[in-house]
Amino acid sequence: MRLRRLAGTAAGVLAAGLVMMACSVPESGASSGATRPPSAASSGAASPSAQSEASAATAEAPVRGPRGWPVFGFTHTQYTADYGEPKALATAQRAIGEQRLLQNQHIMGFGALNPEPSPGKYDFGSLDDRMDLIRRTGGFPVITLCCAPDWMKGGREGRTNWNHIEVAPARKHYQDFADLAAKVAERYPYVTHFIVWNELKGFFDEGRHRWDYEGYTDMYNRVYKALKKVNPKIQVGGPYPVMADFDAPSELKGDWGNVDQRVLDVLRYWDKHKKGADFVVVDGSAETDQGMTPDDFGAQEKFAAVNQWLHKHIGLPIWWAEWYPEPDDSGWTDAKRAAVAAVSMIELTRTKSAAVLYWNRQEEGGQCPPGCLWTSPRQRGGGQPTVLLKALQGFARWFPLGVKTVAVKVSPASVRALARDETTVVVNTEPSAVAATVDGKRMKLAPYEIRWIPRTSS
């Protein structure tokens, strides 16, 4: 079973593993003197005066308009660049700040504690820390409004059971969740983009074997109204389904596989019954149940196909809240991993994605998991940027929202390229060196090389 955050068992196991440690972090395996993530014991509710001071300070944060919107970025998970050896953390934070990226944080789980353990009693300490990290590293902040306090989903007030992180709020508490979303927006007035919920967690109707898109849309509409009341300029999007494949007929299919028709039904219902939206949110992997089809690089065409369907049927700016160009346990080298991601970003750029967030999984120990954006800051000398982070930053720099791309002639076919007036990115998809011609210029590319070439517009 693929370890993507799909609805069902795999999602529950992975999410629980990420968030259970948010309450407390075991001392074993921690480096002496390391900065530690917040624990339930150390992160109490902020006082009203502290909340006001925090809001006043963050309200002055500069916000770049759509012209500078970087499109590409990542989501912070349980462990990120705020836990580890001080020097390694500084290295990681400098690396992140080299190029402004979108940076997304959930309000509960994935590094943040329960923001409202009891009705009207708030604890924003850990979320404050994450939002401060985003500001320190120059990120364009995005908040995902997930997940929900236990008392909104049948649990006890004042208690958090992280095993139930994927349970959706009960219908009678949809407005309570919307009210919490408004509190978050008021606390971080410099955040202008909010995603409502995550992968429809808890909204699958087992009896009807389909998603409860009616329930989700009801909750979404309440959140949308609450956020717009705080600030009409806030941008809101949903419904955030997984564009997963399924062994049944679908209107959206290709050599790369298909997309579950039930997911397309979610998007259509939400689009028809939403009270408003500024963007549509999806997530997905290039991998199918049959693996990467037709091959590792060809599978990336799925993202372009989904974008084309969304442009035609939904007509809103497209956000990929999670984007997985690589299969689980691929065994790929870092060079191939970055090359595949670069080809995927070419597809996402040319089909006009508005935002693409990479799920940056880090681990507590000293090793960087496959696909991490920086080496583990839990060890000395860690926090170093990986080739994948560099690729992400390259696309964020040279292909921001609205940039005009230009045609580029390239051969052989195994070499992919995308250009704008100033720069061309070239990717060798072969495991061996290739002699290539790009816009009439001959060059030799190393195995899986990504090269940025200055371009003179004619």
Side-chain angles (χ1 to χ4, degrees):
M1 182 176 290
R2 304 194 306 282
L3 291 180
R4 301 305 182 197
R5 278 135 294 277
L6 306 178
T9 305
V13 171
L14 181 57
L18 287 170
V19 301
M20 284 177 67
M21 291 178 288
C23 286
S24 62
V25 179
E27 293 293 333
S28 60
S31 301
S32 176
T35 302
R36 306 187 63 77
S39 66
S42 64
S43 182
S47 65
S49 60
Q51 292 181 16
S52 298
E53 291 171 3
S55 296
T58 55
E60 298 177 359
V63 176
R64 186 178 300 180
R67 190 175 182 182
W69 183 264
V71 176
F72 294 93
F74 64 91
T75 292
H76 291 278
T77 55
Q78 173 59 37
Y79 295 102
T80 187
D82 61 357
Y83 165 47
E85 295 291 340
K87 288 184 179 180
L89 288 174
T91 298
Q93 292 176 19
R94 281 195 301 270
I96 298 168
E98 283 293 317
Q99 168 60 45
R100 194 176 197 195
L101 298 171
L102 303 179
Q103 293 188 41
N104 175 46
Q105 175 61 46
H106 290 62
I107 63 169
M108 179 176 173
F110 312 102
L113 299 177
N114 189 333
E116 192 179 2
S118 299
K121 296 182 179 180
Y122 302 101
D123 180 356
F124 288 116
S126 57
L127 187 56
D128 284 349
D129 290 342
R130 281 296 175 88
M131 300 312 295
D132 287 343
L133 172 65
I134 291 173
R135 294 188 67 208
R136 289 199 310 274
T137 53
F140 198 112
V142 176
I143 286 181
T144 293
L145 296 166
C146 183
C147 297
D150 289 47
W151 61 270
M152 294 187 190
K153 50 197 182 188
R156 291 171 53 187
E157 295 182 10
R159 182 177 179 181
T160 302
N161 185 340
W162 294 104
N163 289 319
H164 296 166
I165 190 67
E166 293 196 348
V167 177
R171 189 175 292 270
K172 66 180 180 180
H173 288 297
Y174 286 173
Q175 188 58 48
D176 291 318
F177 187 74
D179 293 342
L180 173 59
K183 286 289 185 182
V184 172
E186 290 169 353
R187 186 171 185 81
Y188 309 106
Y190 58 95
V191 179
T192 56
H193 292 75
F194 290 82
I195 298 171
V196 181
W197 208 242
N198 174 307
E199 294 188 337
L200 298 173
K201 285 179 169 61
F203 282 98
F204 192 77
D205 188 325
E206 295 289 352
R208 292 187 286 181
H209 303 289
R210 68 163 176 86
W211 296 99
D212 176 17
Y213 38 70
E214 299 95 341
Y216 169 82
T217 303
D218 182 3
M219 186 182 80
Y220 169 88
N221 284 335
R222 293 168 185 264
V223 173
Y224 177 87
K225 182 179 179 180
L227 291 175
K228 292 291 186 176
K229 186 175 181 180
V230 172
N231 180 2
K233 295 183 179 179
I234 284 177
Q235 304 287 285
V236 187
Y240 197 161
V242 182
M243 307 302 281
D245 60 300
F246 190 63
D247 186 19
S250 171
E251 66 184 274
L252 180 51
K253 58 187 177 181
D255 292 341
W256 43 267
N258 72 8
V259 172
D260 189 342
Q261 184 65 42
R262 295 173 299 178
V263 174
L264 304 181
D265 294 342
V266 170
L267 288 158
R268 281 204 167 98
Y269 181 91
W270 170 82
D271 185 47
K272 181 178 180 180
H273 297 276
K274 67 185 187 308
K275 298 300 183 182
D278 300 289
F279 52 92
V280 59
V281 186
V282 296
D283 93 356
S285 168
E287 185 183 17
T288 71
D289 286 334
Q290 288 73 45
M292 300 285 277
T293 60
D295 55 59
D296 296 335
F297 288 93
Q300 307 308 315
E301 295 178 8
K302 171 183 179 177
F303 299 108
V306 171
N307 275 2
Q308 290 163 351
W309 188 93
L310 291 169
H311 283 309
K312 180 179 179 180
H313 296 284
I314 306 300
L316 291 169
I318 300 167
W319 279 46
W320 287 86
E322 298 178 39
W323 154 67
Y324 303 98
E326 177 183 1
D328 289 310
D329 303 319
S330 68
W332 293 351
T333 63
D334 288 343
K336 179 175 181 179
R337 178 174 293 115
V340 171
V343 168
S344 193
M345 286 187 277
I346 287 174
E347 296 291 340
L348 289 161
T349 300
R350 73 174 184 82
T351 52
K352 296 179 171 46
S353 299
V356 180
L357 295 167
Y358 182 78
W359 189 271
N360 184 42
R361 184 170 62 91
Q362 294 275 334
E363 294 177 353
E364 181 183 12
Q367 294 300 315
C368 168
C372 62
L373 297 180
W374 53 84
T375 60
S376 175
R378 265 69 70 190
Q379 60 181 2
R380 291 183 179 180
Q384 300 293 332
T386 64
V387 65
L388 189 55
L389 176 60
K390 293 296 186 182
L392 200 68
Q393 289 176 323
F395 275 85
R397 177 184 181 187
W398 292 111
F399 297 102
L401 186 65
V403 69
K404 182 180 179 180
T405 58
V406 296
V408 53
K409 296 180 180 179
V410 60
S411 65
S414 59
V415 175
R416 299 290 302 276
L418 183 69
R420 56 170 294 177
D421 53 358
E422 300 172 83
T423 303
T424 300
V425 60
V426 181
V427 185
N428 178 14
T429 65
E430 295 290 341
S432 57
V434 170
T437 302
V438 180
D439 272 345
K441 296 180 180 179
R442 295 181 179 180
M443 62 189 68
K444 188 173 183 178
L445 299 172
Y448 298 127
E449 181 180 356
I450 303 170
R451 187 180 299 183
W452 296 87
I453 305 170
R455 185 174 187 274
T456 302
S457 57
S458 55

